[in-house]
Amino acid sequence: MPTIALEMERIRNQHSGLGQYCLQLGHAFAASPHSWGLGFACLVPQDSVGVFGNSMTYKAVKAWHKIIPPSFAEKIAVWHCMHQDSFYMPPSRKTPLAITIHDLNLLDREDYSAAKKSRRAAAMQQKISRASGLIYISNFVREWVHDHLKVRAGIVEKVIYNGGTLANKRPRPQNLLSTHQNPFLFSIGINPKKNYHVLMPILKQFPEYNWIIAGPDGRGYRSKIEQEAAKLGVTDRIEFCGVISEEAKRDYYENCSALLFPSLSEGFGLPVIEAMSLGKPVFISNRTSLPEIGGREAYYFTDFDSETLISTFAAGMKDYKNDRDKPTRIKAWASQFTWEKAAAQYLEFYQEMLSAG
């Protein structure tokens, strides 16, 4: 039976987008009734060994595996790096390599010098040149890669969307936010590309709302948000709640009035689908992959001028409240993004790679 090696080192941080991607896709593989005659071997941190049950085998990742590639007892038919920045490669260059590419955000990093961007792009190009198969999490990412890097002819390529994680989960018996006193807007993920600081005019114009922002402040972006909030006198209506569990995240989505997500650069934009899976209105930028993921049921900021932000939010909330069928259509759109569907498409992809030799 051919064995697929899943390089899942990033599962160490299950509160991150990549951590959730590894976790949810792994569970979907383990639960798939159609395994296509494939086995799975997972490279994971020590504390995640066994996370997907006994149907898979495991190897604990070590620091030296970045230099000396890890090896499994099984013969590996395809080695799948779950993200483009992985340091963990197969022990043999003859082993077919698959890479999931989530974004090229390195090209947009204002804190990167031109030289650093060039080095990072060259490192990614080296991996892509070695790969036998590439998966992109949106059509936008595929175009992004083809525009900036070289993809050789004949490589196996496939666009496979991520899944949503909330709609199929049972709500907790006690929703911690059901008694929240004020209506609130919600956002998740804190770093400069999220672009939250431009939205203060909305908070100023609509004093009935508070704004809760979740996630760790890994790059000091919170201070920029607070500076802009202070300028318009809305600091007391913004709450930073830090890292939240998957269960708590559903509470926030279920009780918020809308998701605000004016991101400048997204390979997919999972919060958009998470909010939409529960029928919530989402206000997002019209940049990068977001129009592809939000579709016609999202509301879009076409620019970040104060008047545009305020009018877009006002018109969107009015439309949402007056259209009884809007929540149903939002949920229907989000329902096409499932981890079960993604897992089935990955299994097809592995078979294509095996058939291609």
Side-chain angles (χ1 to χ4, degrees):
M1 179 173 63
T3 297
I4 311 299
L6 302 175
E7 179 282 296
M8 289 186 161
E9 182 270 341
R10 287 297 184 93
I11 205 172
R12 59 183 162 77
N13 181 5
Q14 295 183 14
H15 295 294
S16 69
L18 284 176
Q20 277 297 303
Y21 164 79
C22 292
L23 183 68
Q24 299 301 332
L25 189 58
H27 280 308
F29 283 146
S32 175
H34 306 292
S35 64
W36 298 60
L38 298 174
F40 291 95
C42 304
L43 183 67
V44 296
Q46 181 64 54
D47 60 2
S48 294
V49 169
V51 65
F52 305 121
N54 297 328
S55 63
M56 299 182 180
T57 61
Y58 302 88
K59 188 175 187 66
V61 64
K62 305 296 183 182
W64 62 79
H65 287 153
K66 295 180 181 180
I67 302 171
I68 304 173
S71 59
F72 289 89
E74 303 91 335
K75 181 178 180 181
I76 301 302
V78 173
W79 183 282
H80 182 185
C81 286
M82 308 300 280
H83 63 98
Q84 69 273 6
D85 294 323
S86 173
F87 292 106
Y88 304 96
M89 295 291 114
S92 172
R93 293 189 68 88
K94 294 181 180 180
T95 302
L97 173 65
I99 303 174
T100 296
I101 302 182
H102 295 260
D103 59 60
L104 287 184
N105 286 338
L106 66 95
L107 300 176
D108 299 326
R109 290 279 296 263
E110 294 182 357
D111 57 331
Y112 281 5
S113 66
K116 185 171 184 178
K117 289 180 181 180
S118 180
R119 289 195 302 270
R120 292 285 302 274
M124 190 181 299
Q125 179 64 70
Q126 189 175 29
K127 293 175 185 175
I128 289 175
S129 297
R130 179 180 175 180
S132 303
L134 297 175
I135 307 102
Y136 311 97
I137 63 171
S138 65
N139 283 299
F140 172 78
V141 172
R142 185 184 187 280
E143 295 173 2
W144 208 358
V145 170
H146 278 260
D147 286 345
H148 292 91
L149 299 171
K150 295 180 181 179
V151 178
R152 72 175 186 274
I155 195 171
V156 180
E157 296 181 274
K158 194 176 186 70
V159 173
I160 303 178
Y161 293 121
N162 291 339
T165 61
L166 298 179
N168 296 330
K169 290 186 176 181
R170 293 182 179 180
R172 290 193 287 185
Q174 182 179 7
N175 188 309
L176 300 181
L177 300 172
S178 59
T179 58
H180 200 278
Q181 293 182 349
N182 297 319
F184 67 91
L185 309 171
F186 184 59
S187 299
I188 187 166
I190 304 178
N191 64 60
K193 74 172 185 177
K194 301 304 182 186
N195 200 34
Y196 298 143
H197 67 278
V198 304
L199 298 184
M200 300 307 156
I202 291 178
L203 214 56
K204 180 71 173 179
Q205 184 69 23
F206 299 93
E208 65 270 30
Y209 294 110
N210 287 345
W211 185 9
I212 298 177
I213 304 176
D217 182 22
R219 291 168 58 190
Y221 181 52
R222 173 174 172 171
S223 63
K224 175 68 172 179
I225 299 171
E226 290 174 330
Q227 288 171 14
E228 296 302 312
K231 291 178 182 178
L232 293 186
V234 295
T235 303
D236 61 336
R237 289 170 39 224
I238 299 178
E239 175 186 341
F240 295 92
C241 62
V243 175
I244 56 177
S245 67
E246 286 298 296
E247 293 79 9
K249 183 164 67 173
R250 176 166 182 142
D251 290 351
Y252 282 101
Y253 280 123
E254 283 191 323
N255 288 278
C256 74
S257 298
L259 175 77
L260 300 181
F261 202 69
S263 182
L264 299 174
S265 183
E266 295 291 332
F268 183 79
L270 186 57
V272 176
I273 294 304
E274 290 178 329
M276 295 180 82
S277 70
L278 298 176
K280 295 297 181 174
V282 297
F283 292 85
I284 59 182
S285 73
N286 63 345
R287 309 289 182 89
T288 61
S289 67
L290 292 177
E292 181 181 349
I293 304 307
R296 62 180 178 273
E297 299 300 344
Y299 302 109
Y300 294 94
F301 299 121
T302 56
D303 62 61
F304 305 117
D305 177 79
S306 296
E307 292 184 3
T308 301
L309 295 170
I310 291 170
S311 62
T312 299
F313 182 78
M317 292 303 290
K318 181 179 180 180
D319 175 72
Y320 181 80
K321 292 176 181 178
N322 292 339
D323 186 347
R324 293 182 179 179
D325 296 328
K326 184 70 172 180
T328 300
R329 294 200 308 274
I330 291 175
K331 291 179 182 179
W333 172 262
S335 68
Q336 67 183 301
F337 300 94
T338 70
W339 289 112
E340 293 76 16
K341 183 178 179 179
Q345 292 177 332
Y346 272 99
L347 293 172
E348 291 177 358
F349 174 82
Y350 297 142
Q351 291 289 3
E352 289 181 34
M353 284 192 65
L354 293 172
S355 298

